Amino acid sequence: GGRRGGLRTLEGTGYLSPMSAPLVELRGIRKVFPGVVANDGVDFELRAGEIHALLGENGAGKSTLMSVLMGLYRPDGGCIRVRGEERHLRSPRDAIGLGLGMVHQHFVQSERHTALENITLGHPRMPFFPRMDALRAGVQQAAARHGLQVDLDAPIRSLPVGERQKVEILRALHHGASILILDEPTAVLSRQESAALFEVLRRFAAEGGAVVFISHKLDEVLAIADRVTVLRRGASVCTCGTAGLDAAALASLMVGRELELQRREPGGALGAEVARLEGVEVLDPRGVPSLDRVSLSLRAGEVVGIAGVSGSGQGVLAELLAGLIRPTGGRLLLFGQDPPHGPRAFRDLGVAHIPADRNRMGVAGALSVAENLILESYAARFGRWGMLRWGPARRWAGERVRAHDIQCPSLDAHTASLSGGNVQKVILARELAVRRPGEGWPRLVVAAYPCRGLDVGAAEAIRARLLEASGAGAAVLLISEDLDELLRLADRIGVLFRGRLLGPLPVAELSREGLGLMMGGHRGPVAGDREVSP
C-alpha cells in the first residue's frame, strides 16, 4: 500500500474519501497543439497532506497538464480552482504567487552561479538591492526545516545531480511553495538519493504541503504515493488509492493491456569476440583516471550489463566504445584489430551508439523526424552525385517509423516535439540500421541508459529491440542503473566503482543485493563463495 497519512480509504473501493476541500482542482482541462490533442477533458485534484502520483505513458499528457497548472500553457477548455477559487493563470508568476512550485526533470539552473544565487534567483519579493546575508539566512532556515542541506557557496555546475535537485526544491520552497510538482524527480538519482528525497517529501506533506509526483518508476510510486491518477492518450483513466495495488496493475492501467516483461533466455550460443579492452585507462582533464586499468571482453550474441553509481566511469566507457574518445593507456581492440580513430570509423565497422543524453547527443531537436532518421546514413544510402534523393529517403524513414511504432504527427514534425519515449525510438531506429554492407544488424550496440525516464510500455519495446539485436548476433553493452533490468536482460554483469571494473560475472551467480554491495566497492564474496575482483 501507499503512505496514506491522514487520508482514509473507502471500504472495498481503494478510493480515498475527501476529509477536506481540495487544494487544487482541474476540471475538464483540454489543451490542443497542432495535430495533437495533449489533454482531452482531464480531471485532477490534490489535497493538503497528500502525495498524489500522476502516471501515464510518454506523451499521455502529464507534463502538459502540469504546465497548464503552472501557467506555462493556457488551457483551451476547462477550469482551474486553487483553494476553492477559480483562477486564470497567465504566467508562472501567477502560479508561484498562489503557492505552486515545479521542479522540472531537466533542471532550469544558471551554471555560472552558486547554489545560493540559483535558489534566490527570481524570488517574487526580491529587493532591488538585495542583502545576501539576509537571503542566506532565509535559505538556511528553509533548508534546516525541510532537511535539505546543501553547500550554498558551491558553483552549481560543481554539484552532483542529487545536490542540484535539492537546490531546485529549495528554490520552490524559498519562493513560498505549499504545493510541489515534481516531474521525474528520481530519473537520475541513485536509490540512496531517492530514499533521502522521499523523506523530504513525507516531511513536507506531514506539515500540510501537497505533492504531485510524476514518475515511471512504479515501485517508487507505490512506496511514496497516497493516490494515483492515470492518464492515457490525453484522458484520465482512473484515480484511486494505492492500497492493494501492485506494479503490474499500474502498468496495465497505463498501457491499456497486459504487459509482457522482456527476459533474456539463458544458454544461447555466443560467437566470436567483438571487442576487447586490455588494461584500458582514460584520464579526465585533471589527470584523474575515469577508467582505471579496465579489462573486458564482448562476444557476438552476448548482452553484457554494466552497473554502478553515477559518475563511476559508465559514460566514459560508452564513449570509448563508440569512438568518441581514445584510451590514454592500455589497448582497445575491435574485431581483433586496433580500430581507426573517430565515431565515423567506428560506425563504418558496424558500431551503433545509443547515448545517455537522448536530447543533447541523440537527436537534433530542430530537425524533422525523417532528417534525424537518415542523419547518419544520408550520403551512403541516399546520396547520388552530391545530391540527396528525398523520395527514397522519406520512404525509408517511413518504414522505420512503422517498424518501431514511433508516434509522431508526420515525418516532418520537429523531433523536439516528441515525447521522450518516441525520441528514444527514433534513436534506436536509426542506430539499429547501422551495419556493414551485406549484414542485417550492427555488430556492436553500445546502449547507455536506453530506458531511463521512459514509461513501462516504451521501455519494454526498447528492451525487446536490444534482445532482438543480440539474437541476430550483435554484441550488446547495456549500461543501466536499473538492477532488475540488468538481471533480466544480461548474460554477464560488471560493476564500475571509481573507474575500476568489478567482474563481470554470470547473471546466475548474482543478486540485487550482491550487485548493490559491488556498487559500493565491495570485493568480497558477494556471489556465492566466489571472490569478485577488479
Side-chain angles (χ1 to χ4, degrees):
R3 184 209 60 83
R4 293 185 296 277
L7 298 171
R8 182 166 54 88
T9 305
L10 292 178
E11 188 69 24
T13 67
Y15 281 77
L16 298 170
S17 65
M19 301 185 71
S20 60
L23 278 179
V24 174
E25 292 178 272
L26 304 177
R27 299 299 179 197
I29 296 297
R30 181 175 175 82
K31 183 61 186 176
V32 180
F33 298 103
V36 178
V37 180
N39 291 144
D40 190 10
V42 176
D43 293 336
F44 180 82
E45 68 173 36
L46 181 68
R47 305 174 195 152
E50 176 184 29
I51 299 177
H52 194 139
L54 185 60
L55 299 182
E57 294 184 276
N58 294 104
K62 308 181 298 297
S63 295
T64 299
L65 185 68
M66 291 299 102
S67 294
V68 167
L69 178 57
M70 283 300 300
L72 291 164
Y73 298 144
R74 295 191 186 184
D76 298 312
C79 69
I80 301 171
R81 295 189 184 93
V82 180
R83 297 179 180 87
E85 294 187 28
E86 185 170 346
R87 300 287 184 172
H88 300 279
L89 304 177
R90 295 176 174 83
S91 71
R93 182 177 291 274
D94 292 344
I96 292 170
L98 293 173
L100 287 97
M102 186 167 183
V103 178
H104 298 269
Q105 179 180 358
H106 303 290
F107 302 147
V108 183
Q109 296 173 334
S110 172
E111 299 287 326
R112 297 176 55 220
H113 292 86
T114 66
L116 176 62
E117 290 165 340
N118 270 277
I119 291 167
T120 57
L121 194 65
H123 193 285
R125 293 181 298 279
M126 176 73 73
F128 189 77
F129 293 106
R131 289 179 50 198
M132 294 307 295
D133 56 343
L135 293 175
R136 180 186 298 273
V139 172
Q140 288 175 334
Q141 183 178 10
R145 177 183 173 189
H146 296 285
L148 288 165
Q149 300 301 328
V150 67
D151 184 356
L152 296 178
D153 296 314
I156 198 73
R157 63 179 175 270
S158 70
L159 294 178
V161 65
E163 295 296 295
R164 294 182 68 155
Q165 187 179 72
K166 288 182 184 179
V167 169
E168 288 288 281
I169 296 174
L170 265 176
R171 178 165 60 185
L173 296 175
H174 184 62
H175 290 192
S178 57
I179 300 165
L180 278 178
I181 302 167
L182 305 180
D183 190 359
E184 295 290 344
T186 64
V188 294
L189 299 186
S190 67
R191 286 184 174 270
Q192 294 83 355
E193 290 170 328
S194 296
L197 172 64
F198 288 175
E199 287 303 314
V200 171
L201 298 182
R202 290 187 182 105
R203 183 184 304 184
F204 177 72
E207 293 177 355
V211 179
V212 180
F213 187 84
I214 302 174
S215 179
H216 293 306
K217 298 183 178 181
L218 302 185
D219 56 337
E220 292 184 351
V221 167
L222 293 171
I224 191 67
D226 301 299
R227 285 193 297 169
V228 57
T229 291
V230 179
L231 301 187
R232 191 190 309 153
R233 297 178 182 176
S236 46
V237 176
C238 72
T239 296
C240 58
T242 54
L245 287 178
D246 58 21
L250 285 179
S252 297
L253 286 171
M254 288 169 60
V255 301
R257 65 184 188 278
E258 292 294 325
L259 200 63
E260 181 181 353
L261 297 180
Q262 300 298 320
R263 190 174 298 276
R264 178 78 164 163
E265 294 298 330
L270 301 182
E273 186 175 71
V274 168
R276 173 179 287 273
L277 282 70
E278 298 177 348
V280 164
E281 184 176 75
V282 176
L283 301 180
D284 68 13
R286 300 168 298 169
V288 177
S290 297
L291 293 179
D292 188 3
R293 293 166 288 169
V294 169
S295 295
L296 177 66
S297 173
L298 302 171
R299 298 177 64 186
E302 181 181 34
V303 179
V304 175
I306 299 293
V309 297
S310 179
S312 294
Q314 302 95 313
V316 177
L317 178 61
E319 291 181 358
L320 180 73
L321 286 169
L324 293 168
I325 58 175
R326 303 179 73 172
T328 51
R331 191 181 186 193
L332 168 63
L333 296 172
L334 279 182
F335 316 110
Q337 301 177 9
D338 291 306
H341 179 55
R344 173 59 64 188
F346 276 52
R347 297 184 75 83
D348 290 343
L349 290 173
V351 178
H353 178 212
I354 302 168
D357 191 331
R358 66 177 71 100
N359 293 311
R360 292 181 61 186
M361 291 185 65
V363 295
L367 297 183
S368 70
V369 172
E371 289 167 333
N372 271 282
L373 284 169
I374 68 170
L375 201 56
E376 297 290 352
S377 60
Y378 61 90
R381 197 185 295 268
F382 307 111
R384 177 180 291 176
W385 302 315
M387 302 290 289
L388 179 64
R389 297 181 298 148
W390 260 114
R394 288 180 64 85
R395 285 194 293 273
W396 183 85
E399 292 170 1
R400 297 289 92 196
V401 166
R402 290 187 290 274
H404 288 261
D405 191 28
I406 299 170
Q407 302 296 314
C408 58
S410 73
L411 289 174
D412 298 315
H414 286 178
T415 309
S417 69
L418 304 186
S419 67
N422 285 303
V423 170
Q424 194 74 325
K425 288 180 181 180
V426 168
I427 297 170
L428 199 73
R430 182 188 68 222
E431 295 302 309
L432 293 186
V434 172
R435 60 197 62 164
R436 288 165 62 88
E439 297 181 0
W441 290 84
R443 302 166 78 186
L444 171 62
V445 179
V446 181
Y449 310 103
C451 300
R452 176 190 279 172
L454 302 188
D455 64 75
V456 289
E460 289 305 313
I462 298 294
R463 291 166 185 147
R465 290 293 182 178
L466 293 176
L467 290 182
E468 188 179 4
S470 172
V476 178
L477 182 78
L478 174 60
I479 299 172
S480 176
E481 73 263 323
D482 187 338
L483 300 184
D484 293 326
E485 177 179 71
L486 292 175
L487 289 167
R488 282 198 284 127
L489 301 187
D491 298 290
R492 294 183 295 145
I493 301 176
V495 173
L496 277 168
F497 176 75
R498 296 178 181 174
R500 303 289 303 278
L501 182 63
L502 310 180
L505 292 176
V507 165
E509 301 178 14
L510 291 168
S511 64
R512 293 183 78 259
E513 293 73 19
L515 285 171
L517 289 171
M518 291 170 69
M519 290 170 67
H522 188 90
R523 293 177 172 83
V526 298
D529 296 324
R530 289 190 54 180
E531 183 82 7
V532 180
S533 59

